[in-house]
Amino acid sequence: MVTRRRFLGTLGASALIVGFDPVERAWATGPGSGGLQRIPHLDGVLLTDLATRQADGRDLGRIVKRLPRAVLRPGSVRDIQKMVRFCREHRIPVSTRGQGHSTHGQGLTDGLIIENRSLSAIHSIGPDSITVGSGALWREAADAAAPRGLTPPLFTTYVGLSVGGTLSVGGVPAQNNFGVQIDHVRELEVVTGDGRLHRCSMDRERDLFEVMLGGLGQCGVITRATLDLVPSRSLARNYMIRYPVTEVARAWDDLHILLDRNEVDGSYLLMSVPDGTNITCQLNVVVFHDADTPPNDQRLLRDLSVSPASAEIENSTYLGWVKRYDPVIELWQRQCAWDDLIKPWFDVMLPGESAEAYVSEVMPSLTARDYGPPTGIGFLFPQRRAKLTRPFFRVPPGDSEYVYLFDILTSSPAPGPDAAFTAEMLERNRRLHAKARAIGGTRYPIGSQDFTRADWRAQYGDRWADLVRRKAKYDPDHILTPGPGIF
């Protein structure tokens, strides 16, 4: 546990805040005026040094900056309760920061940032569940469960993300038939906007439980989560088949042959620019297995538009597959200054009835600039509609068996500000989202878009009034997570 004494030893008392001046609307590190409101005793620390505030004043997108007034590194859940109450009293906005992997300022604030990384403990592992702190990374949850032959059922492509962060958004995996990560949460511990601590589940405070899963942090701060575990296989085989971007329809047909047969563990499309000029579409297929039951390649890839022999095959351990994008991101960080590239990402959920027509029209209109080789990529993840159970994870209406997450994860050519590039890509995102919304598409809210309250009302549709009600109940003074601009 991170303690006040430990921070005093490493940072020095001058870095610690002693109070808040309600007249100047500023934190103080000294005695201040007679009207100074002293902060409560904390197990962790509250910091106002410029370096810490600047680091937490930007996100992965590198487009929006908001300098927080202070940063809380909690030593306990009690710290979060105390500071949320304090901030509510003084009308200070509060946002929670996991790994900072959202874009366009959605996790930023000019008030208080709560860093949840210090709440990263693996609290318990049972025969079919694991309880972790909200700051635990998904790779840490996977590593903790693996010695027991267990695993969380679903992972996003990059597992260096915090559990609390992805549960606030959704967590879309490469697997197709088991929903998204929030569909596999049993219980949450949450601090609401009034500073109260709740344990909630489908059977206990369901109102809060539902709105915390995919609810963008509007009603509370997740501090702990109990997640499903399932038996894991020891190995993974990944098949990769490449198509020219002009033949997206063929890749789509092959993808659906695999989905209809339901013989593999996951399949999705990956778009990239490997030669720096030409966009390539790649069908990725994974099968989990044990050493004594290897997959039959010819049978699994039968009837596709290409010969099974043309597929590139990679074998790995199961955990190696789970972490397959971690070394890619680490390489980009070392060689391409990936953290400081501008990332005006576009992410939309498409209805199955019109997804193919949308993707087939959009993809040929994109160029290498829309990706930013070598670090820009795109994805198309099919998700079975019937398995998406959480009401605030907004998916397109319709009767189709599948809905699709379509991502264009753009990176700028070089690090540093580039106003023209940013404006160009934000306009592209606006245009593509309008096109998607016209066919019933919804936003997957990790990307970079300027959304008005009217846009959010349209996003939540028939759930809007319910979201407003729950916001009023759990965050009555609207201090939590102002970044998205929903309220």
Side-chain angles (χ1 to χ4, degrees):
M1 177 180 290
V2 180
T3 66
R4 186 181 182 88
R5 179 177 297 175
R6 178 179 174 187
F7 270 108
L8 281 169
T10 57
L11 297 171
S14 62
L16 296 175
I17 298 168
V18 299
F20 180 76
D21 186 333
V23 176
E24 297 294 329
R25 304 293 294 167
W27 302 97
T29 56
S33 65
L36 196 69
Q37 303 295 307
R38 294 193 65 83
I39 64 166
H41 176 80
L42 300 172
D43 298 314
V45 290
L46 200 61
L47 301 172
T48 56
D49 64 281
L50 185 59
T52 299
R53 293 163 60 213
Q54 286 178 332
D56 284 5
R58 60 181 190 171
D59 57 26
L60 190 67
R62 297 298 194 260
I63 296 171
V64 174
K65 293 183 180 180
R66 291 193 184 98
L67 190 67
R69 295 176 188 164
V71 173
L72 173 65
R73 290 181 179 161
S76 65
V77 174
R78 290 186 304 274
D79 284 356
I80 297 176
Q81 291 183 263
K82 290 174 182 179
M83 287 311 303
V84 167
R85 290 184 191 127
F86 189 93
C87 289
R88 182 189 183 195
E89 179 183 355
H90 296 288
R91 297 295 192 270
I92 300 169
V94 178
S95 288
T96 306
R97 184 179 182 90
Q99 294 298 292
H101 266 247
S102 60
T103 70
H104 214 53
Q106 295 183 84
L108 305 182
T109 180
D110 59 3
L112 176 71
I113 289 284
I114 299 173
E115 293 182 353
N116 74 2
R117 182 62 180 136
S118 56
L119 303 179
S120 60
I122 307 295
H123 292 286
S124 64
I125 304 176
D128 58 3
S129 67
I130 182 171
T131 300
V132 302
S134 60
L137 306 183
W138 283 96
R139 72 165 74 100
E140 294 169 343
D143 286 340
R148 304 188 183 206
L150 300 171
T151 181
L154 303 172
F155 294 95
T156 52
T157 50
Y158 176 57
V159 289
L161 306 176
S162 70
V163 168
T166 57
L167 296 187
S168 297
V169 179
V172 178
Q175 298 99 310
N176 316 117
N177 296 314
F178 302 102
V180 296
Q181 286 179 321
I182 57 175
D183 294 301
H184 296 273
V185 181
R186 298 191 177 187
E187 184 177 270
L188 294 173
E189 182 183 84
V190 175
V191 176
T192 48
D194 53 9
R196 291 189 298 144
L197 184 66
H198 304 253
R199 283 176 54 203
C200 54
S201 65
M202 288 295 285
D203 300 318
R204 178 178 183 174
E205 292 200 73
R206 180 171 176 172
D207 238 24
L208 179 60
F209 183 69
E210 288 182 334
V211 80
M212 292 306 301
L213 297 173
L216 303 182
Q218 292 302 301
C219 293
V221 177
I222 297 173
T223 56
R224 186 180 294 200
T226 300
L227 313 169
D228 288 343
L229 292 178
V230 297
S232 65
R233 300 293 184 91
S234 59
L235 301 172
R237 180 167 296 179
N238 199 48
Y239 303 90
M240 294 159 287
I241 303 171
R242 292 183 175 85
Y243 309 78
V245 71
T246 54
E247 298 185 20
V248 170
R250 188 159 61 86
W252 189 282
D253 289 343
D254 288 347
L255 172 66
H256 273 268
I257 289 173
L258 297 169
L259 291 174
D260 291 344
R261 287 204 295 245
N262 197 22
E263 296 173 348
V264 301
D265 290 292
S267 52
Y268 62 96
L269 298 183
L270 166 69
M271 284 71 73
S272 63
V273 191
D275 64 358
T277 303
N278 300 296
I279 300 172
T280 295
C281 181
Q282 178 175 292
L283 175 59
N284 278 29
V285 184
V286 66
V287 176
F288 306 134
H289 64 98
D290 293 317
D292 58 349
T293 57
N296 183 322
D297 304 337
Q298 294 289 326
R299 183 177 183 279
L300 287 174
L301 302 183
R302 69 191 184 279
D303 302 328
L304 302 186
S305 67
V306 297
S307 164
S310 68
E312 181 182 345
I313 296 176
E314 287 184 353
N315 292 299
S316 69
T317 64
Y318 171 75
L319 280 180
W321 180 85
V322 166
K323 302 175 188 178
R324 65 199 182 282
Y325 283 98
D326 287 22
V328 176
I329 299 298
E330 291 164 5
L331 178 67
W332 290 348
Q333 288 170 328
R334 291 194 308 270
Q335 295 187 354
C336 307
W338 187 73
D339 287 341
D340 290 318
L341 298 177
I342 302 166
K343 303 177 192 69
W345 289 354
F346 175 75
D347 310 88
V348 68
M349 300 293 298
L350 299 171
E353 293 88 346
S354 48
E356 182 178 3
Y358 178 93
V359 173
S360 296
E361 185 174 341
V362 167
M363 283 300 300
S365 73
L366 302 176
T367 69
R369 185 170 171 81
D370 288 285
Y371 289 95
T375 64
I377 54 177
F379 293 103
L380 182 76
F381 293 113
Q383 294 297 319
R384 195 179 294 273
R385 180 189 294 276
K387 298 297 183 178
L388 302 172
T389 63
R390 306 304 187 192
F392 291 95
F393 180 72
R394 304 306 295 160
V395 297
D399 299 319
S400 60
E401 184 176 6
Y402 289 95
V403 296
Y404 299 82
L405 172 60
F406 179 53
D407 300 309
I408 306 172
L409 305 185
T410 303
S411 291
S412 61
D418 187 333
F421 177 82
T422 300
E424 175 189 348
M425 293 303 164
L426 290 180
E427 170 56 25
R428 178 205 66 188
N429 291 355
R430 184 204 63 77
R431 186 177 66 254
L432 293 182
H433 184 266
K435 183 181 181 66
R437 188 157 59 186
I439 61 171
T442 55
R443 180 182 178 186
Y444 184 60
I446 64 169
S448 303
Q449 290 180 242
D450 293 313
F451 246 41
T452 65
R453 194 173 189 218
D455 290 324
W456 284 115
R457 189 181 295 114
Q459 167 81 359
Y460 285 101
D462 59 4
R463 281 285 174 181
W464 174 252
D466 195 14
L467 179 62
V468 170
R469 176 186 65 80
R470 298 189 202 203
K471 179 75 168 177
K473 180 178 179 180
Y474 295 111
D475 182 26
D477 292 299
H478 288 199
I479 65 168
L480 297 179
T481 319
I486 300 175
F487 294 99

